[in-house]
């Protein structure tokens, strides 16, 4: 039963959801059927957007796995806007779904809506990205990668790449960051810097660092500006493959060879990233697996049935250097 205060909050939320609905791409694809027989699980899922190849693969994985599990999926694409995610979550609360899952665009600013879900007794599962909350009980678990470790692995991989390339002198790094305030952007930068400060304090320097918002267009535009302001950059660390691919276009337009004049390490491992790596344009990729759908559906079932689940269900992933790219390319599933 909602208290009056919570009821009012929810009511305002529903009204806001109605007003904002036009901003978010809705796709209330009902993957299961709730009619007749035993009631299927209804899952409300708020996706970040469609900013990258990784994200598209993640969306497909969630939709396919929900269908496979026989759940009714209410899916909404927030187009990388937090307000759209908040309004989608409020509309799922109003629709009394069984479980809410979402991949938060940024880390902060979720307390109010998560408290509304808690008051409505709807469990919340985070997928892919984490949040900062004042109260740990506001979500049940996170299904996703260790982004700090991905940053560390990228720095260790860069050390191998620099050695293989025989790069002498100062390693002048340009960093293309993900969406400002997003967990993968904050944590990948942190993990990378941690290894850099510990092992390469004298010879590595991040000379320029800016967000490319995890998109190809962003990577292309920001890299073009980097090359103007710092033409002596010899390394690019991109927080995802899409930004690396966009940056490659600007590097080539500037008359330089990606993978040779500018060594490139990125994160994700999408097919297009592997194509660029097999062409010699990317030197190494740290994998971040987007195929979270089956694991998510499993967790949703457990949470719905009141089973205890781990607080963080981590994804397994690998590291790939350029000389592995051609052999690995046919195996890439996304
Ligand atoms: O949260 C995962 C990140 O988000 C992926 O690395 C990136 O490609 C996506 O947009």
């Amino acid at each position: 039963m909602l208290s009056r205060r919570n009821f009012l909050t929810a009511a305002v939320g529903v009204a806001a959801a109605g007003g904002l609905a036009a901003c978010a791409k809705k796709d209330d694809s009902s993957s299961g059927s709730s009619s007749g027989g035993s009631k299927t699980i209804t899952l409300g899922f708020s996706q970040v957007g469609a900013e990258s190849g990784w994200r598209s693969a993640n969306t497909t994985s969630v939709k396919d796995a929900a269908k496979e599990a026989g759940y009714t999926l209410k899916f909404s694409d927030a187009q990388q806007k937090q307000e759209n995610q908040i309004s989608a979550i409020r509309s799922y609360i109003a629709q009394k779904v069984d479980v809410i899952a979402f991949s938060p665009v940024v880390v902060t600013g979720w307390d109010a809506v998560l408290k509304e879900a808690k008051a409505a007794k709807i469990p919340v599962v985070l997928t892919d990205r984490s949040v900062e909350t004042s109260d740990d009980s506001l979500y049940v678990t996170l299904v996703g990668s260790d982004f700090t470790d991905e940053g560390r692995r990228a720095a260790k991989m860069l050390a191998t790449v620099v050695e293989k390339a025989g790069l002498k002198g100062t390693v002048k790094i340009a960093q293309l960051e993900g969406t400002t305030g997003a967990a993968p952007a904050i944590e990948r930068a942190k993990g990378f810097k941690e290894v850099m400060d510990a092992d390469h304090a004298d010879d590595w320097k991040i000379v320029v660092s800016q967000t490319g918002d995890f998109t190809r267009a962003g990577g292309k535009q920001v890299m073009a500006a980097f090359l103007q302001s710092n033409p002596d950059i010899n390394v690019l660390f991109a927080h995802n493959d899409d930004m690396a691919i966009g940056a490659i276009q600007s590097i080539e337009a500037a008359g330089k060879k990606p993978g040779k004049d500018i060594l490139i390490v990125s994160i994700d491992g999408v097919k297009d990233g592997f194509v660029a790596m097999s062409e010699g344009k990317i030197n190494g990729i740290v994998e971040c697996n987007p195929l979270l759908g089956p694991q998510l559906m499993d967790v949703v079932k457990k949470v719905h049935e009141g089973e205890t689940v781990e607080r963080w269900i981590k994804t397994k992933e690998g590291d790939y250097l350029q000389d592995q790219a051609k052999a690995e390319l046919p195996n890439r599933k996304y």
Side-chain angles (χ1 to χ4, degrees), residues 48-56 58 80 103-105 127-130 145 147 150 178-179 182-185 188 213-215 239-243 267-270 286 288-290 292:
V48 173
E51 74 282 5
S52 62
W54 189 101
R55 188 63 55 197
S56 308
N58 180 249
Q80 285 190 282
S103 183
V105 60
T127 78
D128 164 34
R129 300 181 180 181
S130 58
S145 305
F147 297 134
E150 287 176 353
T179 303
R188 286 170 184 168
D213 211 13
F214 279 131
T215 65
H239 286 189
N240 79 345
D241 291 345
D242 279 81
M243 291 191 293
I267 300 181
D268 272 359
V270 294
V286 168
C288 178
N289 190 348
L292 305 176

Side-chain angles (χ1 to χ4, degrees), residues 315-329:
T315 320
K316 290 199 181 80
E317 29 214 30
D319 298 334
Y320 299 90
L321 286 166
Q322 207 176 69
D323 50 15
Q324 298 164 280
K326 280 205 175 91
E328 176 58 21
L329 188 54

